[in-house]
Amino acid sequence: MSCICSAMFRPLEFLCAWHVVLVYIAATVSSPQCTGNHCFPGQPCMPSFPERLAFARDLEGQVVSPSDPKYRDLNVVYNPRTTAYPYAIVFVKNVDDVIKSVNFANRYKLQISVKSSGQDYIGRSTKDGTLQINLSRLQGIAFNLTSGRNEAGEVTVQTGTTWRRLFNETFKHGRVLPGSAAQTVAIGGYTLGGGHSPVSRKFGLAVDNLLDVELVAANGSLVYANENSTTIVDPVSGKKMTSSNTDIFFAVRGGGGASSGIVTSFTFRLHLDSEIVSVYCSAPFYDDNGGHIGKRVLQLFERVLTSQLASEWGGYVIFSSRAAPNTSNYGSIILALNHFGPKNTSSYRTINPFLSVYGRYCSSRNIPAFSDYVSGMTDSENRKNVFTMNTLLDTMTDDFLDFVFGLLLDRHNISGEIVCTGTLIGGNMRNVGEHETSVNPRMRTSHLSFTCDVKWDAGEVEPQVSLCASQAAHLIRFGVGAYYNNPTESLPDWPLQYWGTNYARLLAIKRLWDPGHLLSCTQCVGEEVTGYTGSSPGVNVPILIG
């Protein structure tokens, strides 16, 4: 007989002064046939075929198992070399499906992986032997343009929606919000990792604009959270418990992945759309005499960026191995900048010290609205092997620029396409406290989130990965910290790199909200703890929720 490993959590609550509710989450003792903390394919604790069939029939969505002919086509990630093989993929159709899937995983001690678009490049959204909950079919969007919390209104959007679809709907109302320039990316993973964008210096990160979340906790409870309160709906009784404790809201505002719960919808603050001025500059690495013109261009731009550039300016510094227009030298520096607002403003003129010297490399154009600016952005959906490396920079030193120029031109035996991009950060992002959200505090103080992507077609993988890893180890020495959404798979001390001094609180929240480590993903909170079982041995740790 198949072993039913019940790990359904039973909240116990009591009321004390100031109506504080402490909910203790503890797993029931498993059957002797179930060894270890989790159950994996091939072990006797796995659900039987009738039990799997009953689970599938109880859903409005779809369950795809490895024996299904569609499994191979549906089990797709954007970086093919990180492909893993979940025990089953559940394409949930609604929040109730998510709750039923979490309850099923608890009953049989199955670990859960969570996927929406899967564009994380190190395999965070998949894992061998897990029950993968696929959120890509959660596509609801609802606007509230008369919100009492925000003059320009708000939008509630489900996790699986792509930024392209959300942008298209938002622009119809003359509104904008910080979102991904790569528009095939889904809302979920992007937001949970922090979410910087071309307008983040003006409006902040995606998590800075987050008003509410709906999520399913690891015990199957439905949770509603914002900066003021947390409401938990008991999975058995339906009883609601509300608290002023906001740990879970802190965790989802940059804690990355489905670490402490599965977010099913986000409510964002909206902003009014505006005219955009796009400035595009392209300069060579070297002039015809071998002089470092690229360095001089970048160093002047950096002085302007760090000393006076208004928050209305955003965009990217792009390093390419291709020659700049009308030059014979390989390598070019591209500044793809956008000013949120018209040209005849004081904020626009803050870039003039740069343009007065190197304006010959630049052109500008007026764009009627940010919606038109974003509609011109495209991102490739071609799936290639990818290695990503990232660091947060305060300054582009000579040594740093020599490294990047060498990476692009000398190649160091690396094959494939290499592109390095610095996303402008700072501006009004600095107005949010370093510990108000869970992103690395360095996201508030640095000036560039610098990423190099290496892409190559199928073929030898390991030699290429090793070469890239050696360059990544070199790159991170020029910065401090890293952006979670551009992960380096070989990153040492990644908890400190991604979250800095916010990691200790994130780990404590993870241990309280997911003591059985049901939710699991690569380089996610708690994954580095050997033998992680939730709370400390012999200690029953409460979640303060009321």
Side-chain angles (χ1 to χ4, degrees):
M1 179 180 296
S2 174
C3 164
I4 300 180
C5 302
S6 176
M8 291 296 294
F9 304 135
R10 300 190 178 115
L12 308 172
E13 72 268 12
F14 61 90
L15 197 62
C16 62
W18 301 104
H19 302 286
V20 176
V21 179
L22 297 177
V23 176
Y24 291 82
I25 295 181
T28 59
V29 179
S30 63
S31 160
Q33 289 187 1
C34 303
T35 58
N37 294 325
H38 304 107
C39 191
F40 294 98
Q43 294 181 331
C45 49
M46 291 297 288
S48 66
F49 176 75
E51 290 161 339
R52 297 195 302 267
L53 187 61
F55 165 62
R57 286 176 173 170
D58 194 34
L59 301 175
E60 291 190 41
Q62 176 188 16
V63 178
V64 179
S65 65
S67 61
D68 192 309
K70 298 187 292 286
Y71 179 89
R72 181 176 178 180
D73 293 333
L74 295 173
N75 184 37
V76 173
V77 293
Y78 273 72
N79 188 3
R81 65 187 184 81
T82 65
T83 299
Y85 298 93
Y87 156 71
I89 304 172
V90 185
F91 289 89
V92 295
K93 193 173 181 180
N94 49 43
V95 177
D96 195 44
D97 278 355
V98 179
I99 294 172
K100 290 176 180 178
S101 298
V102 171
N103 289 342
F104 181 77
N106 273 305
R107 189 173 302 121
Y108 298 100
K109 299 185 69 176
L110 308 174
Q111 277 200 313
I112 290 175
S113 56
V114 181
K115 179 180 177 182
S116 45
S117 65
Q119 296 190 46
D120 62 77
Y121 297 117
I122 63 170
R124 284 185 177 133
S125 60
T126 189
K127 188 174 181 181
D128 289 336
T130 57
L131 183 71
Q132 183 186 93
I133 299 178
N134 188 299
L135 305 173
S136 62
R137 298 179 185 179
L138 297 184
Q139 294 276 328
I141 300 176
F143 288 90
N144 177 7
L145 300 183
T146 59
S147 165
R149 297 186 293 183
N150 185 54
E151 185 176 358
E154 57 190 64
V155 60
T156 298
V157 56
Q158 288 189 304
T159 300
T161 309
T162 63
W163 279 103
R164 176 177 294 151
R165 182 164 176 266
L166 180 57
F167 278 147
N168 287 341
E169 295 301 313
T170 302
F171 296 151
K172 292 176 183 178
H173 299 283
R175 304 297 199 272
V176 300
L177 73 163
S180 177
Q183 294 175 56
T184 57
V185 171
I187 304 297
Y190 170 88
T191 301
L192 293 171
H196 63 43
S197 83
V199 290
S200 280
R201 295 185 79 252
K202 172 66 174 175
F203 297 123
L205 298 167
V207 293
D208 300 340
N209 292 271
L210 194 58
L211 296 172
D212 298 291
V213 293
E214 174 191 77
L215 64 89
V216 177
N219 69 336
S221 299
L222 189 58
V223 179
Y224 301 94
N226 56 41
E227 64 180 1
N228 299 312
S229 65
T230 301
T231 297
I232 297 181
V233 182
D234 185 271
V236 178
S237 67
K239 180 181 177 181
K240 293 182 179 180
M241 298 172 288
T242 300
S243 163
S244 59
N245 183 284
T246 57
D247 277 351
I248 193 65
F249 191 63
F250 169 83
V252 301
R253 295 178 76 190
S259 295
S260 300
I262 303 171
V263 180
T264 50
S265 73
F266 303 84
T267 299
F268 294 102
R269 179 184 297 111
L270 292 172
H271 306 273
L272 296 177
D273 204 348
S274 171
E275 177 183 345
I276 295 291
V277 182
S278 173
V279 173
Y280 184 91
C281 309
S282 182
F285 286 176
Y286 308 104
D287 61 24
D288 291 335
N289 298 317
H292 288 285
I293 184 65
K295 282 188 179 181
R296 295 196 294 271
V297 168
L298 285 171
Q299 288 167 347
L300 178 57
F301 177 73
E302 181 181 74
R303 285 198 294 273
V304 173
L305 170 66
T306 58
S307 65
Q308 68 182 76
L309 195 66
S311 59
E312 283 79 4
W313 284 100
Y316 307 94
V317 180
I318 303 169
F319 295 71
S320 172
S321 59
R322 297 178 181 176
N326 305 314
T327 67
S328 57
N329 293 299
Y330 279 112
S332 59
I333 304 297
I334 297 168
L335 302 179
L337 308 175
N338 53 275
H339 177 266
F340 195 85
K343 207 169 191 176
N344 59 344
T345 58
S346 58
S347 58
Y348 179 88
R349 290 190 288 273
T350 58
I351 201 173
N352 284 349
F354 173 79
L355 294 179
S356 64
V357 178
Y358 292 116
R360 66 185 182 275
Y361 293 116
C362 304
S363 62
S364 66
R365 63 189 180 103
N366 296 330
I367 303 174
F370 185 70
S371 56
D372 299 300
Y373 175 79
V374 170
S375 65
M377 294 181 175
T378 59
D379 57 302
S380 173
E381 297 188 51
N382 295 330
R383 291 171 173 81
K384 293 187 174 184
N385 291 320
V386 182
F387 190 101
T388 298
M389 55 190 91
N390 172 272
T391 194
L392 301 176
L393 288 175
D394 284 334
T395 183
M396 293 181 283
T397 63
D398 280 344
D399 287 345
F400 166 76
L401 294 175
D402 287 340
F403 166 76
V404 178
F405 291 174
L407 178 64
L408 290 165
L409 300 183
D410 298 337
R411 312 290 297 183
H412 305 294
N413 297 315
I414 296 175
S415 60
E417 175 189 8
I418 305 176
V419 176
C420 297
T421 302
T423 301
L424 273 58
I425 56 179
N428 290 332
M429 289 170 56
R430 287 173 164 74
N431 295 339
V432 178
E434 293 183 359
H435 305 296
E436 187 174 334
T437 68
S438 48
V439 298
N440 192 322
R442 291 277 304 167
M443 290 290 290
R444 307 295 177 189
T445 59
S446 300
H447 295 101
L448 286 176
S449 174
F450 189 82
T451 304
C452 290
D453 291 320
V454 183
K455 298 182 180 181
W456 68 97
D457 294 323
E460 288 190 345
V461 171
E462 192 54 43
Q464 181 84 333
V465 170
S466 298
L467 290 168
C468 292
S470 67
Q471 296 306 308
H474 196 163
L475 174 66
I476 63 175
R477 290 199 289 266
F478 295 108
V480 178
Y483 176 46
Y484 184 83
N485 284 350
N486 293 132
T488 304
E489 63 192 75
S490 55
L491 190 63
D493 300 324
W494 53 264
L496 183 63
Q497 292 282 343
Y498 291 138
W499 296 290
T501 52
N502 283 326
Y503 187 69
R505 184 180 176 189
L506 279 172
L507 182 59
I509 294 168
K510 166 72 171 179
R511 285 171 161 165
L512 293 173
W513 282 81
D514 184 18
H517 200 40
L518 188 79
L519 303 167
S520 177
C521 64
T522 301
Q523 289 188 0
C524 287
V525 174
E527 291 294 317
E528 85 294 356
V529 181
T530 303
Y532 173 82
T533 58
S535 58
S536 301
V539 179
N540 190 13
V541 182
I543 295 179
L544 179 64
I545 67 159

